[in-house]
Amino acid sequence: MQATLMRLDRAMAAQPLTTSLVVTGIKSSAADILVQSTVEGKGLTSLDQRRVLLFGTFGIIYQGGFQYFLLNHAFERAFPGRGVWPTVKKICAMNLIGDPVFFFPCFYTMKEVFRTSVLTRQTVYDALSKYRDNFKEDWRNTWSVWFPGHAVTYTVCPMHLRMPWVATLSFVYLAILSATRGQISSQEAAARSDNACST
């Protein structure tokens, strides 16, 4: 068992980006499937496939790709070292810049693209309007997981295990995101439109 784990560790160290893309794609889809099947009580044959695809795509593109660059390159270059102050700066940068400025706008835009099947200026505007409506709850949820989570990321994890660690903790966070923001059906859009007309 130990020899297998050591081989796996070496393989992940040799291919960290590939590891990141694969792990985050599988994890993101699995988190949404778990929420749809257990929390929402859907059978496996009645899962919202667009929603599963949204979470899987978001996991690969944003979390596996962009976040890999952000965590392992950009923030390491901006705040080098594992001392107290570089670690605090990385944690704050990820939670106060990475998530509010990059994560949520990307997620809401991808969700809107999956809902409408188009990417236009209006799609982005609508996505950011929804983000504006939800940002307080979104930020509260993400910070409750990621302030302590990134303390581990930047103090304990070796570089090549950061994305697998983040993906593991992110499974819990994405289940929260799926439960609170996963719906991409036309009924949701109609409900939003009705609410807007009544205000």
Side-chain angles (χ1 to χ4, degrees):
M1 179 68 169
Q2 186 175 359
T4 302
L5 290 175
M6 290 176 66
R7 280 196 301 276
L8 181 60
D9 183 64
R10 284 195 299 271
M12 290 178 6
Q15 298 291 330
L17 179 57
T18 301
T19 299
S20 178
L21 296 171
V22 170
V23 169
T24 56
I26 293 170
K27 168 266 315 180
S28 301
S29 299
D32 181 59
I33 290 169
L34 177 73
V35 168
Q36 287 195 55
S37 60
T38 60
V39 176
E40 297 173 9
K42 295 179 183 175
L44 291 179
T45 57
S46 60
L47 294 177
D48 182 343
Q49 297 299 323
R50 285 185 311 158
R51 181 170 156 183
V52 174
L53 187 59
L54 163 66
F55 276 86
T57 304
F58 181 73
I60 292 168
I61 294 173
Y62 181 84
Q63 294 184 305
F66 180 76
Q67 211 166 39
Y68 172 87
F69 167 77
L70 206 60
L71 285 170
N72 289 340
H73 298 288
F75 289 162
E76 283 302 322
R77 189 168 293 162
F79 316 113
R82 286 188 174 236
V84 172
W85 284 116
T87 299
V88 167
K89 289 175 184 177
K90 290 172 197 170
I91 293 167
C92 289
M94 196 63 202
N95 282 284
L96 302 177
I97 298 169
D99 289 340
V101 175
F102 301 118
F103 179 94
F104 285 112
C106 182
F107 174 76
Y108 276 93
T109 299
M110 286 184 72
K111 179 179 170 185
E112 196 66 14
V113 168
F114 272 78
R115 188 182 71 77
T116 63
S117 301
V118 296
L119 176 58
T120 64
R121 188 178 306 173
Q122 186 64 42
T123 309
V124 175
Y125 177 81
D126 291 345
L128 295 180
S129 295
K130 291 174 183 177
Y131 175 36
R132 184 189 63 224
D133 294 344
N134 298 323
F135 81 92
K136 288 180 184 176
E137 182 183 7
D138 289 341
W139 290 3
R140 184 197 66 217
N141 290 343
T142 194
W143 290 342
S144 67
V145 172
W146 290 114
F147 266 106
H150 283 310
V152 174
T153 304
Y154 288 115
T155 59
V156 177
C157 283
M159 191 79 72
H160 68 284
L161 294 180
R162 281 186 181 171
M163 290 315 296
W165 155 248
V166 168
T168 302
L169 187 57
S170 179
F171 183 87
V172 174
Y173 175 70
L174 282 177
I176 295 168
L177 187 65
S178 175
T180 58
R181 303 289 176 245
Q183 297 295 327
I184 58 175
S185 66
S186 56
Q187 289 88 351
E188 179 199 34
R192 287 186 55 80
S193 177
D194 291 344
N195 290 340
C197 291
S198 64
T199 55

